[in-house]
Amino acid sequence: DQQVKQNSPSLSVQEGRISILNCDYTNSMFDYFLWYKKYPAEGPTFLISISSIKDKNEDGRFTVFLNKSAKHLSLHIVPSQPGDSAVYFCAASPKEGVSRASQKLVFGQGTRLTINP
Amino acid sequence: DGGITQSPKYLFRKEGQNVTLSCEQNLNHDAMYWYRQDPGQGLRLIYYSQIVNDFQKGDIAEGYSVSREKKESFPLTVTSAQKNPTAFYLCASSIMEKDTQYFGPGTRLTVL
């Protein structure tokens, strides 16, 4: 059962335009969401996160939007640059009781973003 | 420089052999994790450890074993019982009570 889904395996965007990567989740216990960027043969790099008490978080060119009622989040990159070409993973963390000690992240399958010059 | 190191970058082993993947961090993080990535799939949690001398199974622990004798080290052994060991293995760490995990560069294991 895939609790975090990234339904688009790939996305191609023109340089300078906006890239929008989407992620859906099914578990209503998720209360913290993260986006990671991954280049081939490297470990994922943390990009941006959002808590369920917010609906938007912005960091430079990156903005994450959370729609709790739809159980949907998206990552916007604007303007897109060639160096943004990578695989993007969304991840979610469940709040288990009152403790965050388990901190288990559940990852989506990833979306390969290609920025075309 | 603070960070997470994994060695080696590439590892080849014959079928039936156990192999141990190294993960070291000097970030003073309490929690450490092992994930596996297969082509076209997300990261799947193998084992995690919140404190020294304690660890828990993740979603796909069968065929793997770990130890946490030191805070900075969390080695993963891929045993002969693991049916499909060829994969990209990622180690991560985090501060307790924080959700952001930071990843090492990964080890690609190929079993021939």
Side-chain angles (χ1 to χ4, degrees), chain B residues 87-100:
Chain B
F88 190 52
Y89 289 88
L90 288 157
C91 177
S93 69
S94 68
I95 300 171
M96 280 297 279
E97 306 307 317
K98 294 288 184 185
D99 297 272
T100 305

Side-chain angles (χ1 to χ4, degrees), chain A residues 33 54 114:
Chain A
F33 304 88
K54 294 185 175 182
T114 302

Side-chain angles (χ1 to χ4, degrees), chain A residues 26-84:
Chain A
T26 57
N27 189 341
S28 57
M29 292 300 291
F30 289 148
D31 72 339
Y32 195 78
F33 304 88
L34 306 90
W35 283 94
Y36 285 86
K37 173 181 178 179
K38 185 181 180 302
Y39 293 119
E42 293 184 12
T45 304
F46 170 70
L47 209 52
I48 192 169
S49 62
I50 188 167
S51 164
S52 61
I53 62 173
K54 294 185 175 182
D55 54 18
K56 176 183 174 182
N57 188 26
E58 192 171 351
D59 183 2
R61 296 186 298 114
F62 303 93
T63 303
V64 55
F65 295 93
L66 175 62
N67 183 334
K68 289 185 289 293
S69 60
K71 293 191 176 69
H72 176 84
L73 65 155
S74 61
L75 174 69
H76 293 211
I77 306 173
V78 58
S80 300
Q81 299 173 355
D84 296 330

Side-chain angles (χ1 to χ4, degrees), chain A residues 40-42, chain B residues 6-13 19-21 87-89 105-110:
Chain A
E42 293 184 12
Chain B
Q6 291 184 243
S7 61
K9 181 88 172 161
Y10 300 95
L11 191 54
F12 296 89
R13 279 294 181 269
V19 60
T20 297
L21 282 59
F88 190 52
Y89 289 88
T107 293
R108 180 164 299 282
L109 172 65
T110 303

Side-chain angles (χ1 to χ4, degrees), chain A residues 2 31-32 34 36 38 40-46 49 87 89 93-94 98-110, chain B residues 9-10 31 33 35 37 40-43 45 48 50 57 59 88 90 94-106 108:
Chain A
Q2 192 79 27
D31 72 339
Y32 195 78
L34 306 90
Y36 285 86
K38 185 181 180 302
E42 293 184 12
T45 304
F46 170 70
S49 62
V87 176
F89 289 98
S93 174
V98 296
S99 169
R100 298 209 68 91
S102 63
Q103 296 171 305
K104 289 192 287 185
L105 290 182
V106 180
F107 284 83
Q109 311 95 304
Chain B
K9 181 88 172 161
Y10 300 95
Y33 313 80
Y35 292 89
Q37 186 193 11
Q41 294 195 37
L43 281 63
L45 182 64
Y48 63 104
Q50 297 165 35
K57 292 182 180 179
D59 301 317
F88 190 52
L90 288 157
S94 68
I95 300 171
M96 280 297 279
E97 306 307 317
K98 294 288 184 185
D99 297 272
T100 305
Q101 294 178 18
Y102 296 91
F103 286 82
R108 180 164 299 282

Side-chain angles (χ1 to χ4, degrees), chain B residues 74-95:
Chain B
F74 191 40
L76 173 75
T77 298
V78 184
T79 75
S80 56
Q82 167 51 231
K83 292 184 174 56
N84 296 297
T86 294
F88 190 52
Y89 289 88
L90 288 157
C91 177
S93 69
S94 68
I95 300 171

